[in-house]
Amino acid sequence: MSANPTSITNFDPNGLGYAGKLFGLPFEPENSQLLILPVPWEVTVSYRSGTAGGPAAILEASVQVDLFQEDIRDAWKLGLSMLPLNPALKADNDNYRLLADKYIQWLQKGSPEADHERFAAVPDIINAACRKMNDWVTEQAEKQLDQGKLVGLLGGDHSTPLGLVQAIAKKHESFGILQIDAHADLRPAYEGFDFSHASIAYNFLKIPQVQRLVQVGVRDVCEQEWNLGQSDTRCQLFTDGNLKEQLYGGNTWEALCREILAALPEQVYLSIDIDGLIPQLCPHTGTPVPGGLDYQQLMFLIKMLVRSGRKLIGFDLVEVAPGSDGGEWDANVGARILYRIANLTAVSQGKLHWG
């Protein structure tokens, strides 16, 4: 059953959704207010692969998500859809991922001199490919932003949203970034790759319009990243360990959320690496780490952000990887996070309203 603009009036949000449509909703990009840009890219992942399959897996799982939101009126009517997956981008990812993986294995072996000539040019090749991907993301995002649409990005690894943030920076003089993540991602050119998934926050900070970077849930950080975060006044880190210590000491999650939000300006870009959550919610993500936020803690924080009057001007959800055995749990969780943050973004922009 195909969807078209006239089918909206006949759509039953309590029944079966449209096959192949994000959340089964009866919307096309042209009649949507919020568009999801899928980016199946994981060229620089340094541990487990699979996140390039995230967008397709979440799209498939999304039709099982119930559309009713108890605190948001007529949430499904937002006009939410996903742009088509780009097969050329996925093909490039697959090719360059093989090359990058061989290079990383060479580094892990101590960079044997016998293979130096073979691998010397790899960082430049991968950097050029990633720059091309970033430029494509920027171009796609700008097309939608110029039409007054909201844009969210679905990765892929955490390197993928740089182009979106660069596009948003052309529309806003200043904004903050709220990053939910197990990692600080402040490594400069990790493994020789300028656009590594482990360097996304470092690259965010190169954008002049980024006024603040607030990181929540981090529990795996190297000394170089720690020192950089401490020395840059734009950065504020709420480690998972410190947050849990305060909770165990009697503080409330609501009070901690207020402290987190106080560090953010009025306009906020939200970047969610799924590994910021407890590993039970994302067992197949690329670099899982013990600890993290649970699902409701994350949702409560974002809801408080919107309730505070701040505007979400864009978002990404990255590092969701389907199980190699065909398991759908990661995509199931990712789809629910995506639906909720899309709706909360729309509320913050006045396109949906509290119920």
Side-chain angles (χ1 to χ4, degrees), residues 118-140:
R118 176 186 173 194
F119 289 110
V122 170
D124 287 341
I125 294 171
I126 298 301
N127 288 337
C130 291
R131 188 174 293 107
K132 180 181 176 182
M133 178 274 293
N134 287 328
D135 290 344
W136 179 84
V137 170
T138 299
E139 178 185 358
Q140 298 303 310

Side-chain angles (χ1 to χ4, degrees), residues 234-274:
R234 293 173 296 168
C235 298
Q236 187 153 355
L237 176 62
F238 293 86
T239 66
D240 188 61
N242 183 265
L243 290 171
K244 295 295 172 51
E245 284 184 6
Q246 293 192 61
L247 286 173
Y248 301 154
N251 208 343
T252 67
W253 182 240
E254 180 179 13
L256 293 173
C257 288
R258 293 188 186 281
E259 183 180 348
I260 291 167
L261 297 180
L264 288 164
E266 292 304 305
Q267 297 192 112
V268 179
Y269 178 89
L270 176 64
S271 186
I272 301 178
D273 185 327
I274 197 75

Side-chain angles (χ1 to χ4, degrees), residues 48 274 278-288 321-323 329-331 333:
R48 296 193 311 204
I274 197 75
I278 56 176
Q280 294 92 322
L281 295 173
C282 51
H284 297 100
T285 191
T287 48
W329 176 243
D330 299 70
V333 173

Side-chain angles (χ1 to χ4, degrees), residues 22 34-38 80-83 150 152-154 315 338 342:
L22 188 63
L34 194 159
L35 288 169
I36 303 301
L37 175 60
L80 172 65
S81 65
M82 183 186 290
L83 291 165
L150 297 169
L153 181 143
L154 190 56
F315 63 85
L338 181 65

Side-chain angles (χ1 to χ4, degrees), residues 127-284:
N127 288 337
C130 291
R131 188 174 293 107
K132 180 181 176 182
M133 178 274 293
N134 287 328
D135 290 344
W136 179 84
V137 170
T138 299
E139 178 185 358
Q140 298 303 310
E142 285 181 338
K143 287 180 182 178
Q144 306 306 326
L145 293 171
D146 287 345
Q147 297 177 45
K149 298 180 186 291
L150 297 169
V151 179
L153 181 143
L154 190 56
D157 71 26
H158 209 163
S159 72
T160 54
L162 180 60
L164 173 57
V165 177
Q166 290 171 332
I168 286 174
K170 296 178 182 180
K171 300 290 184 180
H172 301 275
E173 293 184 0
S174 67
F175 56 93
I177 294 178
L178 174 59
Q179 177 185 347
I180 311 298
D181 208 320
H183 309 87
D185 291 343
L186 287 168
R187 297 174 186 261
Y190 187 55
E191 296 174 327
F193 302 142
D194 292 338
F195 304 103
S196 169
H197 67 105
S199 303
I200 186 63
Y202 182 84
N203 288 326
F204 282 161
L205 291 171
K206 293 179 181 179
I207 301 172
Q209 293 86 343
V210 174
Q211 179 182 350
R212 296 283 286 167
L213 173 65
V214 176
Q215 300 176 307
V216 176
V218 172
R219 50 201 188 273
D220 213 2
V221 57
C222 75
E223 185 176 1
Q224 181 187 35
E225 292 174 297
W226 180 267
N227 291 338
L228 193 156
Q230 295 296 307
S231 64
D232 192 323
T233 57
R234 293 173 296 168
C235 298
Q236 187 153 355
L237 176 62
F238 293 86
T239 66
D240 188 61
N242 183 265
L243 290 171
K244 295 295 172 51
E245 284 184 6
Q246 293 192 61
L247 286 173
Y248 301 154
N251 208 343
T252 67
W253 182 240
E254 180 179 13
L256 293 173
C257 288
R258 293 188 186 281
E259 183 180 348
I260 291 167
L261 297 180
L264 288 164
E266 292 304 305
Q267 297 192 112
V268 179
Y269 178 89
L270 176 64
S271 186
I272 301 178
D273 185 327
I274 197 75
D275 70 25
L277 304 184
I278 56 176
Q280 294 92 322
L281 295 173
C282 51
H284 297 100

